Structure formats: structure tokens, C-alpha cells
Amino acid sequence: MAYFGNNQQRGELQELYIDLNDLNFEKKKEAIKKVIAYMTVGKDVSQLFQSVIKCLEFQDIEMKKLIYLYIVNYSRQKPDDAIMVIQNFRKDVRKSENPLVRALAIRTFGCLRVPKLNEYLIEPLKDCIQDDDPYVRKTAVLCVPKVFEVSPELCPAILEQLQKLLEKESNALVLANLIQSMREIEVLYGKQLIILNPKIIQKLLLAVDECIEWGQIFILDYLATHDPVDSKQAETIIERSLPRLSHINPTVTFCAVKLILKYLDYLDNGDLVKNLCKKISPSIISLLSWNQPEIQYTILRNISLILQKFPILFENEVKVFFCSFNEPYYIKYEKLEIMVRICDSKNFLQVLNELKIYINEADPHFVRKTIKSIGKIAIMYDKALQEAVTILIEFAKNVQQANEPVQELFIQMQILYRKNRYLYKSNDSLKILFNILEYANEPEAKSACAWIVGEFAEFIPKSVEKMQEYIDHFLLEDRLVQLQLLTSGVKLYIKYPSLCSALIQQLINSAKDSFNPDVRDRTYIYWRLLSTDPELVKNLVCYQVKGSQQFQKDIRLWETKDLIIALENMGSISNLFHKLPNQLYKNIKVRNNHQKEAKIYKVDDKLESPSKEQQIKNDQQNQPPQQNQDLDLLNFEEPASNNNQSNNKNKIDVYDLI
């Protein structure tokens, strides 16, 4: 460490030059160490390039390591001088009896990244690929992707040589690194290079047992991208991979899980698929027992992906994803998402009771996500509606300030009311919500409040006064709120024409001068409809669906065409962001998959959606009469209603009012 001191004497480069050219070996070695020390702290010692490379004539491996480090650092600055090193490289690769020296030379060659040097070093690289020592072969195959990235036009012959090596190689370490190198080249080249046959697959499966952990990861990860020929081959590969499910390394375990999940699609035996799912589930759950939250987060992000194709895996393991008080919030957020995905008609009460506890957490963002999760479950399962409303209304009773959870409360209550209008009767929910409407300050929450006031105006004593407050600040509101205020204002006018004549006049006067074209268009549409046929407006805007509407919240992460690609890349950085590799990295080319549709493995009652025939029948029953089919295309609500006939006699012509 004495070489890193700050007392640098004058003419130090001249002294180093003299020592490097001295006949004494020890002085040369000491000078090389000083050069590397100066290079490490950032001092420019490139002037000594010629003197340094002359020292390669000595066979001392320690000195060679230092010199090769120097050459890698300065070869890009002095490519013309670096050509002088070629002969030394060739000499070390072909004539040295020490395999460490041969491997060191070829590894340094791969790190040069100088295009004009590569053409001189292709032949030594070919020699190293055929070397008798497995360590040299391993180093050589790892060097090929580096050369291919800089000079791909020089590599066709080497790529053919790698394929031949794959067929005859017997060393597990070389095989694992060979697979990884060829996969890296495939990513850069955009075409498949590895051609597998039963013999090579058998060789790779045998190598898994002999490899270190990194080698097992490389082989299992590649086999997970392979499409087996038939069910028998898939079953064989799965059988040889099962012991990896209990490996101590979480990455090895996860690679085995990815491989088995991929090959389940190719199995013909349904009982075998169920048994394998029962074996996979405990292995994935065991990974969550690691104390490192980073590993837990990675596993949870991939579980969200797995559940889209394999919801059957964790159908009885919902308790595993319950949140602990001392977990980081990014872990809790993922567990919330997973709980919603594995919730079904059997365990929804258990999940809702757990979410009820989370509502009292201190973190407002976590509480907001909890409320949103409760709403999702209620949307998916009709039986959960009443319990979800009860939980949300209990929370609303304790609201004392405007915060994130309150905003989400209004949004979710609007969604639940739209699914089943008669929920307003439960637990005085309308009265409680009306008392805290003033706490809505986000556009979506305000829009939800405006919808509630307009939809249930006849059950809210001061609905007209509240709507008047909104309209007084109409031009200051967000576009989403303005559009909803227009629809809700028209609903109020239809229900109370005498009380709301001035209100609707003020609303139309304010909206027709809005800077937003959507707001102006909707205003003029309502204005013309009210002035020509108020009965039609009533049928459009106030339409009520009897019973519970059949709609579900889409909680998919991926489209079907992308799901297979995402599953093949489980465990990668792109899946942490829930993106495809080519969406995250511009130079990545996604491998074409011949499988067109993803087979979904789920229990029979996983979803409560009706059959197609029943759905068509329900839609036909719920259709309004033919004369009411002129829907408001600018109204983004549910279809309108023909109820509330009591106020028809008190119509006021809005056109005349304005």
C-alpha cells in the first residue's frame, strides 16, 4: 500500500522507465507494481506502454497478470501500440505449458474490445476452444460473446465450433458456461444458435448434478426456454429437475420452478400436473421465509405473474401472504395484490377480515391500497358485497380529515353502488358518506361524490344544496369532475325540476363557456335533449339496472400473447418492473414462441362469472326498450334508467329558461 502515497518525487516516470528496462528481474517486477499502483489512483502512465509490454517475455504469472491488467486499461488509447502485444498473446496461448497462463492470455484478449486487434486473435481463440484443459476451454467460451459484440463478422466459424463443442463436451463446468455464452450471443444476434437433441439434453441434465450453483442456474434457465418434443421428454426433464426444488440457493430453486411450470403445458397426465403443483407450491413459499426483503420482493413480484396462469397453486395458502407488522411496505403492497388474486368464493371472508385489520395501519398509502383491494374483491364476488360495504362504512365513521384513504373510499363506494344500487340501504351508508363529502379533494374522488349525490338525490335530504356548492366552483374543477357534475346536475333536474331550474341554468351557463371541448360538447348535447325531449333524457340518464350487475374488475398483468414470454423470463429484472425484456432494453430481441395461447390452470369455482349462454340471456333481459337505445356517447356511466315517474308533470323547458 506504500505505492498509494502522495509523496510522488519529481521525474517518477523517468525512474519507472529506467527500472522497467533494467536487467534485474526483481527491479522490473517492483516497477510493474508501481505502474499499476499509479494507474489505480488515476495517474496517467500510458507513456510507459512500450516498456511495460517488453516485460511479457518473463514467464512469472504474477507479473503477467499485472501487465495484462495494464494492457486492458490502455489498449483503447494506444491501439497501434497494442498490436505489438499480439505476438506475445499467440506465444502464451500456443506455447505455454501452464494452463493458467493460456487462460489468462485469452481472457485478457476478450477484454481488449479493440476491433482492429480481433482479426489477429481469432485463431488463438479457436485453439483455446479446443484446448485439452477444461479451465482454458471455459475461459475461451466466455470470451466469444465479448468478441462477437465488437466484431460479429469474424465469428461465424467460431459459432459453428461452439455447437460442435456442445455435442462432444463432457465437463459440466465448461457445458454450463458454454450454454450461457451461446445464450448471450443469441440475445445479440436475435436468432437461435443452440440446437438441442436428446443426447445433448441428457448431457445437460447430468451436468446439473455436477455443476456449482451458477452452472445449475445457467442450465436450468436455458432448459426453461426449450420446447420439449413430446410429453415423455417433458416428464423426464421435470423428473430430473425436481431435486432442485429443495436447493439451499433461492435462485436455483426458482429456476427449477420456472422450468417445471413451463413444461406442465406439455404433460398429458392431469393427475401428474396436480401432484407437481402440490410440490411446487411449498418450494415457492419456502423462498418467502428468507430474511432478506429483497429476495422476498423478487419472489412476490414473480408470484403475481405466476398466479395469472396458475391460480391453482396457492388456492389453500392465502394465510402465507398475510402481512406482518414489521415488514417493509413494498413487501406489504405486493402481498395485498397477491391476496386479491388468490381470493375466491371460499376464502373471501377470511381475506376481508384480514384487510379489515390493515385499515387501521398508520401508513395512509398502505391503507388506501387496502381499501382498493376490498373494492376489487367485492367487484369479483357478489357474496362479498355486503361485507365489503360494512367494512368501508365502519372506516368512514372514523374519518376526521382529508387524506389518501378517504379519497379511495369515495371511489370504491361509487364502484360498489354501481354494481348493486340497493347497497345504499345498508348501514346508513349514504348518510355517513354525505357527512364526509367535504373531505374529497382529488378529481376522481370529487367525481365519485358528484355521482353519488346525483344518483341518490331522492334519498339525500340536502342533495340540491350540495350540488349547488359544486356548481358554484364549476370552472375551477378538473375536467373529470366537470363532466360528472353535468350528468349529476341533469339527474337532479329530472328528479326535482321545480327546485333545480335555477341550478341547471347556472350549470349550463358555466359549462358552455368551458375551455375544455369535451365539457362544451356534453353541455350542448344535454341542453338540446332537455329542450326537445326531457323524457328521452330521463330514460338515458336515470336508467336503473335491477339487481347486481355482472361486471368484474380486470386484474390481469399481461395480455395472453405476452404471458408466455413473461413466464419464460421469470426471475429477470424486466419482470420486477412487470415489463417484457424488449420493452425495458432496446437491443433485446424476444424469441418467437410457437405456443399461441396460454393454458390457465384454475379450480372450477375460481371465478363467479356466468356461462356465455346465461350472460347473453341476462343481457337480453336487462336491455331497455327499443326506443331508449339512443345512448349518450359522452356519458361514461352505466346505461340510464326509466324509473322515478313522479316528476313528469312538472317539466320545465330549459331552452326557455336560458
Side-chain angles (χ1 to χ4, degrees):
M1 297 300 293
Y3 305 122
F4 292 90
N6 295 323
N7 297 325
Q8 299 176 0
Q9 297 180 358
R10 184 178 180 183
E12 54 193 11
L13 290 182
Q14 183 64 25
E15 294 178 2
L16 289 174
Y17 177 80
I18 295 173
D19 290 343
L20 289 171
N21 291 278
D22 197 284
L23 297 178
N24 189 318
F25 172 76
E26 294 299 329
K27 278 190 176 182
K28 285 179 178 288
K29 190 172 182 179
E30 196 70 15
I32 290 292
K33 291 181 179 180
K34 288 183 180 180
V35 169
I36 299 301
Y38 289 151
M39 184 184 74
T40 304
V41 297
K43 185 174 179 61
D44 184 14
V45 288
S46 60
Q47 300 175 20
L48 302 173
F49 194 90
Q50 296 284 349
S51 300
V52 170
I53 62 176
K54 288 179 182 179
C55 298
L56 279 174
E57 297 175 358
F58 296 94
Q59 294 302 315
D60 183 73
I61 190 167
E62 183 180 359
M63 179 182 284
K64 282 185 176 292
K65 287 181 179 179
L66 295 174
I67 295 173
Y68 283 151
L69 181 62
Y70 177 89
I71 292 173
V72 169
N73 191 61
Y74 286 112
S75 59
R76 294 184 184 179
Q77 297 181 15
K78 295 180 175 291
D80 295 331
D81 292 342
I83 295 179
M84 300 176 61
V85 190
I86 299 299
Q87 191 60 33
N88 298 94
F89 274 129
R90 291 175 178 268
K91 183 178 179 181
D92 285 345
V93 168
R94 292 177 175 174
K95 296 184 179 181
S96 177
E97 297 180 357
N98 189 342
L100 294 178
V101 174
R102 299 199 300 272
L104 180 62
I106 205 66
R107 181 171 61 190
T108 305
F109 157 49
C111 296
L112 292 180
R113 305 294 182 93
V114 180
K116 63 170 60 178
L117 299 182
N118 285 345
E119 56 183 312
Y120 300 105
L121 298 171
I122 291 295
E123 292 303 322
L125 180 58
K126 292 180 179 179
D127 295 340
C128 286
I129 292 176
Q130 298 174 348
D131 197 279
D132 295 333
D133 190 273
Y135 179 71
V136 179
R137 295 200 301 274
K138 183 215 64 163
T139 307
V141 297
L142 289 176
C143 179
V144 175
K146 301 175 184 178
V147 178
F148 184 87
E149 185 178 2
V150 178
S151 305
E153 68 280 358
L154 301 176
C155 297
I158 295 182
L159 297 181
E160 294 179 4
Q161 193 174 4
L162 290 182
Q163 181 62 36
K164 293 179 181 178
L165 181 65
L166 181 62
E167 296 175 356
K168 66 180 183 180
E169 182 60 57
S170 58
N171 186 278
L173 179 64
V174 179
L175 267 176
N177 288 277
L178 177 58
I179 286 292
Q180 183 61 18
S181 298
M182 296 185 75
R183 288 199 66 192
E184 291 180 11
I185 296 173
E186 284 182 347
V187 171
L188 296 172
Y189 194 43
K191 296 181 180 179
Q192 183 177 359
L193 298 177
I194 305 176
I195 302 173
L196 294 184
N197 55 46
K199 182 180 178 181
I200 296 178
I201 292 175
Q202 187 66 23
K203 189 188 301 184
L204 292 176
L205 293 175
L206 291 173
V208 171
D209 297 328
E210 303 173 10
C211 283
I212 60 174
E213 293 174 349
W214 279 111
Q216 296 179 34
I217 293 169
F218 293 156
I219 294 175
L220 291 174
D221 198 46
Y222 176 73
L223 288 176
T225 64
H226 171 64
D227 297 326
V229 178
D230 52 24
S231 176
K232 184 177 180 181
Q233 187 184 75
E235 189 174 341
T236 303
I237 296 176
I238 290 175
E239 183 180 353
R240 298 296 297 273
S241 305
L242 283 176
R244 306 276 92 73
L245 291 178
S246 56
H247 200 280
I248 190 173
N249 189 313
T251 309
V252 176
T253 303
F254 200 76
C255 286
V257 169
K258 179 168 69 170
L259 184 147
I260 295 172
L261 291 178
K262 163 70 180 294
Y263 284 27
L264 287 181
D265 289 348
Y266 298 90
L267 296 180
D268 298 331
N269 190 339
D271 294 334
L272 178 59
V273 172
K274 292 181 180 179
N275 292 333
L276 288 173
C277 288
K278 292 178 181 179
K279 293 180 180 179
I280 294 172
S281 178
S283 299
I284 300 177
I285 292 173
S286 67
L287 298 178
L288 296 175
S289 62
W290 280 69
N291 292 328
Q292 291 89 339
E294 294 82 6
I295 294 179
Q296 294 180 6
Y297 179 74
T298 303
I299 299 301
L300 289 171
R301 292 290 281 180
N302 285 276
I303 286 176
S304 295
L305 171 64
I306 293 172
L307 283 172
Q308 187 172 345
K309 182 175 172 64
F310 302 93
I312 192 176
L313 279 181
F314 304 101
E315 57 178 326
N316 299 319
E317 305 291 346
V318 65
K319 288 185 178 180
V320 175
F321 301 101
F322 286 175
C323 302
S324 301
F325 71 95
N326 58 347
E327 288 178 334
Y329 277 108
Y330 60 86
I331 298 290
K332 292 183 178 181
Y333 298 155
E334 290 304 315
K335 285 189 172 182
L336 276 180
E337 294 291 335
I338 292 173
M339 276 193 284
V340 173
R341 293 182 182 279
I342 61 179
C343 181
D344 55 31
S345 57
K346 297 178 182 178
N347 61 18
F348 71 86
L349 280 176
Q350 186 181 13
V351 176
L352 287 177
N353 289 333
E354 182 68 16
L355 296 179
K356 185 178 180 180
I357 300 174
Y358 302 159
I359 284 185
N360 299 318
E361 286 275 351
D363 181 49
H365 190 58
F366 178 65
V367 176
R368 179 168 192 165
K369 283 186 171 292
T370 302
I371 293 174
K372 189 173 184 179
S373 300
I374 293 173
K376 287 181 179 179
I377 293 173
I379 289 299
M380 289 191 293
Y381 305 104
D382 291 342
K383 297 177 183 178
L385 274 173
Q386 189 62 46
E387 182 65 22
V389 171
T390 302
I391 295 173
L392 295 180
I393 293 304
E394 286 297 320
F395 172 77
K397 291 179 181 178
N398 301 320
V399 170
Q400 296 179 351
Q401 59 180 351
N403 51 23
E404 283 190 58
V406 178
Q407 313 308 313
E408 191 64 38
L409 172 69
F410 291 127
I411 297 169
Q412 295 305 318
M413 287 304 299
Q414 179 205 16
I415 294 173
L416 297 184
Y417 283 150
R418 292 178 67 171
K419 182 172 177 64
N420 191 335
R421 189 175 189 274
Y422 298 102
L423 288 173
Y424 76 89
K425 298 178 180 179
S426 62
N427 302 324
D428 294 329
S429 58
L430 274 181
K431 180 180 178 181
I432 295 171
L433 287 178
F434 185 78
N435 292 333
I436 60 173
L437 287 182
E438 59 187 14
Y439 295 135
N441 51 27
E442 293 182 3
E444 196 172 354
K446 284 185 176 181
S447 175
C449 292
W451 183 89
I452 292 173
V453 171
E455 182 70 18
F456 302 103
E458 61 270 34
F459 307 110
I460 301 176
K462 297 183 180 181
S463 58
V464 178
E465 290 82 351
K466 190 64 181 178
M467 184 60 64
Q468 185 65 52
E469 293 179 14
Y470 286 136
I471 294 175
D472 289 341
H473 305 90
F474 181 85
L475 294 177
L476 302 178
E477 300 292 350
D478 186 82
R479 181 190 70 90
L480 181 65
V481 182
Q482 290 181 350
L483 290 172
Q484 186 57 60
L485 284 175
L486 274 171
T487 304
S488 298
V490 172
K491 286 182 180 179
L492 272 175
Y493 170 70
I494 291 173
K495 294 175 181 179
Y496 303 108
S498 57
L499 291 176
C500 299
S501 58
L503 181 145
I504 196 67
Q505 182 178 1
Q506 179 184 352
L507 176 61
I508 293 179
N509 280 331
S510 300
K512 69 183 179 65
D513 297 328
S514 173
F515 291 103
N516 190 286
D518 294 336
V519 176
R520 293 198 304 271
D521 289 346
R522 181 175 289 198
T523 302
Y524 285 116
I525 289 174
Y526 281 148
W527 180 6
R528 292 301 176 91
L529 286 173
L530 286 171
S531 60
T532 55
D533 193 350
E535 186 65 28
L536 177 61
V537 180
K538 179 178 179 180
N539 293 332
L540 289 173
V541 177
C542 298
Y543 178 80
Q544 296 177 6
V545 178
K546 296 181 180 180
S548 178
Q549 296 185 49
Q550 294 291 346
F551 69 94
Q552 297 179 346
K553 216 168 185 60
D554 189 359
I555 57 174
R556 294 178 300 167
L557 284 173
W558 307 89
E559 296 293 337
T560 303
K561 61 181 180 180
D562 297 332
L563 180 59
I564 301 171
I565 300 174
L567 287 170
E568 286 188 355
N569 290 277
M570 279 195 304
S572 62
I573 295 178
S574 59
N575 274 15
L576 288 180
F577 295 97
H578 283 171
K579 293 181 178 293
L580 296 177
N582 60 320
Q583 294 173 343
L584 194 62
Y585 305 105
K586 294 182 179 179
N587 296 329
I588 297 292
K589 297 180 181 179
V590 177
R591 185 177 73 94
N592 292 329
N593 198 301
H594 301 294
Q595 195 173 355
K596 297 181 180 180
E597 296 184 359
K599 183 179 179 182
I600 308 299
Y601 297 83
K602 59 184 178 180
V603 292
D604 295 337
D605 60 342
K606 191 67 184 177
L607 296 175
E608 285 190 337
S609 57
S611 62
K612 289 185 178 180
E613 293 80 10
Q614 185 64 33
Q615 182 72 43
I616 295 172
K617 185 177 179 181
N618 291 341
D619 292 341
Q620 291 175 350
Q621 291 177 353
N622 292 331
Q623 257 188 347
Q626 184 65 31
Q627 64 269 24
N628 297 335
Q629 292 298 309
D630 300 324
L631 296 179
D632 183 358
L633 297 179
L634 295 179
N635 185 0
F636 298 101
E637 298 183 10
E638 296 299 319
S641 155
N642 56 3
N643 290 348
N644 300 321
Q645 303 278 341
S646 57
N647 295 316
N648 290 346
K649 297 180 180 179
N650 298 321
K651 299 176 187 174
I652 296 179
D653 194 335
V654 183
Y655 188 82
D656 295 337
L657 284 173
I658 298 176

